[in-house]
Amino acid sequence: MDFTPTEEQRAARGLAAEIFADLATHERLSALGTGTDAELWKALSGAGLVAAVEETGLLGLALLLEEQGRRTAQVPLAATCVYGLLPVASHGTEAQRARLLPGLRDGTAVATGAFPLPPAGTGAGVAVRDDGRLWGTVPMVPWLREATYVLVPARRSAVPPDDGTVELYLVELAEAARRPEQRAQQGITVTPVETTAPWGAGRLELADVCGEPLARGTAAYGVTLARARTAFAALQAGVCAGSLARAVEHTSQREQFGRPLATNQAVQLRAADAYMDTEAIRVTCYEAAWRLDQGLPAHTHALTAAWWAAEAGRRVVHAGQHLHGGIGADLHHPVHRHFLWGRQLDACLGSPGALLAELGEALSDPEHDTEWRQEL
């Protein structure tokens, strides 16, 4: 394994860091409220950073998302890449790639995904009938109100629940379906959902909707889910790094009893634990991204990264806020934004207990990576 960034990846990360530093300031983020930063999204896309992900791979995307997380920048970079750009490039037909990729590359199209698909037999999620029509509800989809396309995993409603086959469909959202108020059009209903982080989330309801088939087979779904988990873990690594950096700066400058707070052993130990947790999120994320880029089975590695991001990420953002003392309770302080993002990513990635149970099941199954090998 070699996680050393290539020259192209380093250049992309450096450019992204500059753009985020210039535009994702505390003042601009405060003024935005819960809206997406259209100017920042245009700047990132115009600089070619979204399109570059096809060349720099998932590891390159992880580096960009770390920089986004440090600034808690309000752009749908992770969702557009892992639910749009990369799946279309990997699984789309030649005609689909020619039609869809240009808009995803230049930022004029935004993608998101209704992932993960709930376990079979629960009656939740989206099903596809034999005639190809989609039915079902997804309670929360990030960036849904901003999206042009939503990638939907679905099971055949006529297939027994234990079959396990999952198909991927792209559903184009009409402008009416993406307006702030609830609106149904062509069987698509998007209802705004307010989340901890300002992600333009919504509830997706599909009733007799014709989706565009993108891929069929559990392996394609598994690869897409692993990419998404890895990408959101990278975003969490950046959020944690930003929270810790603010805490270090505060405790180094804030004095109590005639000396900086950072000289207290309890503060040092709390910050050290947060640093180790952040590094654990980062290294497991890098390993999963590297394996996916290399075409290696990475199901358990993506689960490991997701577990660290959910479990340790929660600890880090709590520590960052706690180390600010009473200031950390100020809803308008920058560190509180990291806290909110960290908790939303924790919820988005899933319960740490559920992730750990899924990881245990995968590790106990000697055939857990067979389908990955067939696909990759």
Side-chain angles (χ1 to χ4, degrees):
M1 293 181 292
D2 184 4
F3 305 150
T4 305
T6 64
E7 183 178 348
E8 292 78 9
Q9 289 170 339
R10 287 195 299 269
R13 178 175 60 182
L15 179 57
E18 291 180 9
I19 295 175
F20 286 130
D22 288 342
L23 295 178
T25 62
H26 175 57
E27 292 73 23
R28 291 193 74 251
L29 290 172
S30 299
L32 276 171
T34 60
T36 298
D37 193 336
E39 182 181 351
L40 176 54
W41 181 242
K42 184 177 180 180
L44 291 170
S45 303
L49 290 172
V50 180
V53 171
E54 287 182 87
E55 298 297 328
T56 61
L58 190 60
L59 185 54
L61 174 60
L63 297 176
L64 300 184
L65 292 173
E66 274 194 80
E67 298 302 328
Q68 178 187 355
R70 289 178 194 273
R71 300 282 179 172
T72 58
Q74 296 171 199
V75 288
L77 178 59
T80 294
C81 289
V82 297
Y83 295 131
L85 190 71
L86 294 178
V88 171
S90 300
H91 307 297
T93 63
E94 185 175 347
Q96 286 175 323
R97 291 195 295 270
R99 175 169 52 86
L100 298 171
L101 286 178
L104 294 168
R105 288 167 180 158
D106 64 20
T108 55
V110 171
T112 188
F115 281 65
L117 186 64
T122 62
V126 177
V128 56
R129 298 187 316 204
D130 289 338
D131 61 0
R133 313 293 286 192
L134 300 172
W135 292 78
T137 300
V138 183
M140 197 284 287
V141 180
W143 304 109
L144 184 63
R145 283 178 277 164
E146 314 291 339
T148 314
Y149 304 100
V150 55
L151 185 64
V152 178
R155 292 188 181 92
R156 287 276 169 180
S157 57
V159 175
D162 59 356
D163 177 82
T165 301
V166 180
E167 303 174 37
L168 298 183
Y169 290 84
L170 270 178
V171 175
E172 185 172 1
L173 300 177
E175 181 65 27
R178 292 185 283 127
R179 290 176 184 168
E181 67 273 15
Q182 180 175 335
R183 186 74 60 85
Q185 180 170 324
Q186 299 177 341
I188 303 172
T189 303
V190 173
T191 307
V193 173
E194 296 305 322
T195 56
T196 304
W199 289 0
R203 173 186 173 93
L204 177 66
E205 297 177 62
L206 302 176
D208 197 30
V209 173
C210 182
E212 180 177 359
L214 187 65
R216 187 176 192 274
T218 305
Y221 166 74
V223 170
T224 303
L225 179 58
R227 284 174 177 159
R229 282 171 165 164
T230 303
F232 284 107
L235 192 57
Q236 182 75 299
V239 169
C240 291
S243 175
L244 183 57
R246 291 188 182 279
V248 169
E249 180 182 12
H250 172 76
T251 56
S252 297
Q253 297 176 355
R254 181 84 168 183
E255 291 190 0
Q256 195 172 55
F257 304 113
R259 61 175 184 166
L261 288 172
T263 60
N264 293 309
Q265 188 178 43
V267 173
Q268 294 173 359
L269 292 174
R270 190 79 187 275
D273 286 342
Y275 174 78
M276 293 302 294
D277 275 338
T278 301
E279 288 302 297
I281 299 170
R282 178 180 289 115
V283 73
T284 53
C285 166
Y286 284 3
E287 182 180 12
W290 177 83
R291 291 183 67 88
L292 284 161
D293 285 341
Q294 297 299 314
L296 299 171
H299 174 52
T300 55
H301 302 80
L303 273 170
T304 301
W307 179 82
W308 273 105
E311 176 72 17
R314 179 190 307 174
R315 289 197 297 264
V316 173
V317 296
H318 273 269
Q321 191 171 30
H322 188 201
L323 288 173
H324 278 75
I327 296 175
D330 183 357
L331 300 183
H332 302 290
H333 193 280
V335 76
H336 190 67
R337 190 176 294 110
H338 289 272
F339 173 78
L340 295 177
W341 274 67
R343 293 313 306 264
Q344 184 60 47
L345 282 162
D346 167 23
C348 180
L349 288 162
S351 161
L355 291 169
L356 203 59
E358 185 179 346
L359 177 59
E361 291 177 5
L363 291 173
S364 65
D365 180 7
E367 302 296 327
H368 75 271
D369 65 348
T370 300
E371 290 183 335
W372 285 76
R373 295 186 187 280
Q374 293 173 348
E375 175 70 17
L376 298 171

